[in-house]
Amino acid sequence: MSRKKNARATLAIHGGTGPHRTGDPVAPPLVQSVNFIQEIGTETGLLYTRYGNTPNLVRVQQRLALLEGAEAALLLSSGMGATACAMLALLRPGDHLLTSAFIYGGTHRLFTEEFTQNGIDVTFVDPYDTRAWRKRIRKNTRAVFVESPINPTCRVVDLKPIAALSKEAGLALVVDSTFASPINMRPLEHGADVVIHSGTKYLNGHHDAMLGVVAGTALYIEKVLAKMKVWGHAADPFAAWLLERGLKTLDVRVQRQNENAMRIATWCDGCSEIKRVHYPGLASHPDHEIAKSMLDGFGGMMAIDLAGGGKATDRFLRRLKLFQHATSLGGVDSLVSEPRYSSHARLSSAERARIGIPDGFVRISIGIEDAGDLIADIAQALQ
Ligand SMILES: *Cc1c(COP(=O)(O)O)cnc(C)c1O
């Protein structure tokens, strides 16, 4: 049987590059120049970093499109820049956005504060209530937004019924797939129209570059590009170069993170100091079946509820040696963070508990260190 396309591990290294010639550099050159000499008397060949069309940007955009199975992709300066431009390309004042209630804190603020101030109506829906999605659709609804897996609870949303509903109503389904990376999920395969990533996380994978990605049809990406140019969210060439380097190991990194997280979650599940483990790979997880149907791997993100609550968490975090206490996720170094002091600091303790983030909740981004060392670190910190 002939294989139709290259596997993602190969695409992440070679996708979008032409035939190689003698003398070509194996590592791509970094072209930091923001502008390029243009032919006189024509508008073609007008290259400028803010237009997203300089060499490092173009290379990595082609590769990202191939990884997501999209016609085109655009690289932006951050995940938030990607979400803002992706949505501005779909929504105008007077339009209505239907969004999952469980989304990244920054995205939530963008929708509630910026969009509503600019005449875009926003309705939040429980993503597990398909009937609620249907009921909330209005005449002026234009787009549906979902994040999956969800930050920080690691819940997984079944995209298929939401995609069917969106298609039926003629709405664009936008999915923030940051937690999965294209190795674990390609939302377009499940009926989404647009995919968003914080490239800062798994795609780059080394906690050293800030980037965002939007992928979709070529026609739509043109519209996002038009927004990006004037709102000024283009990525820097050096960040794009770092991303290209990071992408080369995306597959091995994510496979290792999947394996590590599964081992660590399983170990934590049998630990009396831990009240609850949030990991979609565990059979006890509420979305385990959905996760099996949506994901190729259960991911490197997990969370634990410490039985001792907030005080125990403080002690636990101070004793950890390998896990570093820092925001962000998806890199080779394992990190821990507490949503009560970061993304969910603006909610009260009771409000957080109601949405599944009680005091004692620790979000863990599993890196690619040895799983045994990571487990030993957790074990000694719990003592
Ligand atoms: C981090 C993150 C973002 C925002 O990305 P930045 O690169 O920090 O702007 C959006 N969505 C999710 C799920 C994230 O984890």
Side-chain angles (χ1 to χ4, degrees), residues 253-266:
R253 279 189 284 111
V254 172
Q255 302 295 356
R256 173 66 164 254
Q257 282 163 317
N258 290 341
E259 287 166 25
N260 275 359
M262 190 70 212
R263 274 186 65 186
I264 294 163
T266 305

Side-chain angles (χ1 to χ4, degrees), residues 64-141:
L64 291 163
L66 289 166
L67 284 169
E68 280 297 348
E71 273 177 34
L74 188 66
L75 194 61
L76 298 96
S77 57
S78 69
M80 284 308 301
T83 305
C85 292
M87 300 317 285
L88 286 172
L90 291 169
L91 300 164
R92 290 175 196 194
D95 285 348
H96 175 235
L97 166 67
L98 208 51
T99 172
S100 164
F102 306 125
I103 52 176
Y104 179 70
T107 313
H108 194 276
R109 228 161 298 148
L110 175 73
F111 292 169
T112 51
E113 293 171 16
E114 303 300 318
F115 282 15
T116 54
Q117 264 180 37
N118 287 287
I120 295 163
D121 281 341
V122 181
T123 304
F124 291 93
V125 178
D126 174 349
Y128 298 95
D129 188 347
T130 312
R131 296 236 306 272
W133 284 107
R134 190 178 292 279
K135 277 202 299 230
R136 298 289 186 280
I137 294 176
R138 299 187 202 157
K139 276 209 178 64
N140 60 340
T141 307

